[in-house]
Amino acid sequence: MAITLMNPTGLPRVDAYRQVSIATGSKLVFIAGQVAWDADGVTVGEGDLAAQVEQCYLNVATALAGAGAGFDDVAKLTVYVVDWNPGKMPLFLEGWPARPRSWGSPRCRRAR
């Protein structure tokens, strides 16, 4: 599936994501919410938000691979964090950059 990500003129530019994604193709895959459990159902990173974020993304990557897809095929990703507060943002972001070491980095593509 081809996906074009863009920030139309008139909307704020946000570094972490694009305001609009346009997906074309014939295959839609819906993945259940993922938590910081390994394949055996054991919690990864108890008390360590960064480790939990990384495990969640690893689980999403595994689910995508099972469907014959990867992060380049993702049109929308929603993240929920329990008991969120702004003080958790550094830990959340710490788990985010860890992911390229594990399974590659989704690319933000701009509209051509």
Side-chain angles (χ1 to χ4, degrees), residues 1-6 18-30 70-77 109 111:
M1 173 169 50
I3 300 171
T4 301
L5 303 174
M6 58 187 281
R18 301 296 178 258
Q19 298 283 5
V20 175
S21 63
I22 304 166
T24 57
S26 61
K27 183 177 184 179
L28 292 176
V29 176
F30 298 88
F71 276 91
D72 283 345
D73 300 306
V74 173
K76 182 180 188 298
L77 179 65
R109 296 171 294 250

Side-chain angles (χ1 to χ4, degrees), residues 5-83:
L5 303 174
M6 58 187 281
N7 283 317
T9 301
L11 292 177
R13 179 173 292 280
V14 180
D15 290 335
Y17 64 90
R18 301 296 178 258
Q19 298 283 5
V20 175
S21 63
I22 304 166
T24 57
S26 61
K27 183 177 184 179
L28 292 176
V29 176
F30 298 88
I31 298 172
Q34 298 300 305
V35 296
W37 293 347
D38 65 15
D40 296 320
V42 176
T43 300
V44 173
E46 185 75 35
D48 181 347
L49 180 59
Q52 292 177 7
V53 168
E54 182 174 15
Q55 184 62 46
C56 289
Y57 282 110
L58 287 168
N59 292 347
V60 171
T62 300
L64 288 168
F71 276 91
D72 283 345
D73 300 306
V74 173
K76 182 180 188 298
L77 179 65
T78 302
V79 175
Y80 295 102
V81 178
V82 175
D83 298 323

